[in-house]
Amino acid sequence: MSENHLEMTLIEALNKSEDAVAIVSQQNVITFCNDTMATLLGKHNKSLIGNTIEALFSSDQGSVFEDRIDGDELADWFLSLKGNQDQGATELEIDTLTGVFFSVKCLPLSSHAYLIYGKDITAIKVLESERAHLQNELDFVSQIDPMTRVASRRQLSEKLDGQIKLYERYRVPFSLIITDIDYFRTINEQYGYAAGDRVLVEFSSLLNGMLRETDIIARINGTEFALLLPNTALEGASLLATRAKNLIVQQAFEVACDKNIALTSSFGVVEFCGLQSSVEAMIHRAEEALSEAKRQGRGSVVAMEQ
């Protein structure tokens, strides 16, 4: 194969590439530009070859990018190459309004010229976007109980940890209430699991409606819910638990069409006073208070001092 034929073959191959390629001389003159690079710069490659970078990006040329991309950063990057090709060693990511992404960098050549190479990274960016979207969905699912739409145990643990840190630094009090529905198993047995789910949703919604914006309700297992009350001492938390207990007694819970039932619930209340060293220790203490409420005959509130 002759040298001229090889050159023509290479040019043809580069013009078919989805990557953008240009060769610039030491004098900043474009000596080669493939079709992809020309499209990226908004010019025909024949009008680019033989021109300098300065001429291409001069103010009297206007914006060569039109509305296809935000070209200011790319123009600055090209102009920085003059006499300092090492400046272009840093990769620059640009995106077009057609959804194509390029990573552009400058590579020195042995003939004192330099290669400007824009790699098509669209597929990578699409995968990154999809991964980020999936991660956001996973984060949301991990923070929210899917059935009742209240916070999950994981979110409760994170918020509790934050409250413990606030207490350790500023002695800001906070309390935790854990509650569940008394004899909940009989609802599932008599009316089915769908009815039980409806009751749990209504139960959590009723509790949520009593809370302040700064409070949090979380489902921590199948039938137990926790109420985190920032800036609330034991007495205030006990009053809220008593109000909630009385409100639930007055509520009719739907288990089937034209069929409502009355419920009772038990509450365990604790205030953080620095004796619990961890999130799980505080949850365990509140569950002990709940167990004591159950032993006292259910439908009651037990507040445990530290």
Side-chain angles (χ1 to χ4, degrees), residues 2-35:
S2 67
E3 184 175 337
N4 185 58
H5 183 64
L6 177 59
E7 180 181 350
M8 295 300 295
T9 302
L10 288 173
I11 290 174
E12 182 181 1
L14 287 172
N15 279 328
K16 291 182 179 297
S17 173
E18 294 182 352
D19 296 335
V21 179
I23 297 175
V24 182
S25 71
Q26 191 177 21
Q27 292 75 33
N28 258 23
V29 175
I30 300 173
T31 58
F32 172 79
C33 177
N34 74 345
D35 292 341

Side-chain angles (χ1 to χ4, degrees), residues 164-183:
I164 290 174
K165 288 181 171 61
L166 277 176
Y167 179 87
E168 291 172 346
R169 187 168 183 180
Y170 302 110
R171 289 297 184 265
V172 177
F174 69 95
S175 296
L176 182 69
I177 301 171
I178 293 184
T179 180
D180 74 352
I181 300 170
D182 297 327
Y183 305 108

Side-chain angles (χ1 to χ4, degrees), residues 117-157:
Y117 177 66
K119 181 175 177 57
D120 187 335
I121 57 171
T122 305
I124 296 173
K125 285 295 184 179
V126 169
L127 287 175
E128 289 177 352
S129 177
E130 291 177 348
R131 186 182 299 115
H133 178 70
L134 288 173
Q135 187 61 52
N136 288 337
E137 288 188 341
L138 288 173
D139 290 343
F140 177 79
V141 169
S142 69
Q143 296 287 325
I144 301 296
D145 176 62
M147 185 178 73
T148 61
R149 312 306 288 176
V150 300
S152 66
R153 187 183 182 111
R154 174 177 172 179
Q155 184 178 169
L156 174 70
S157 296

Side-chain angles (χ1 to χ4, degrees), residues 224-241:
E224 285 186 357
F225 292 86
L227 309 177
L228 174 59
L229 311 176
N231 202 25
T232 304
L234 186 65
E235 183 179 358
S238 299
L239 288 174
L240 176 66

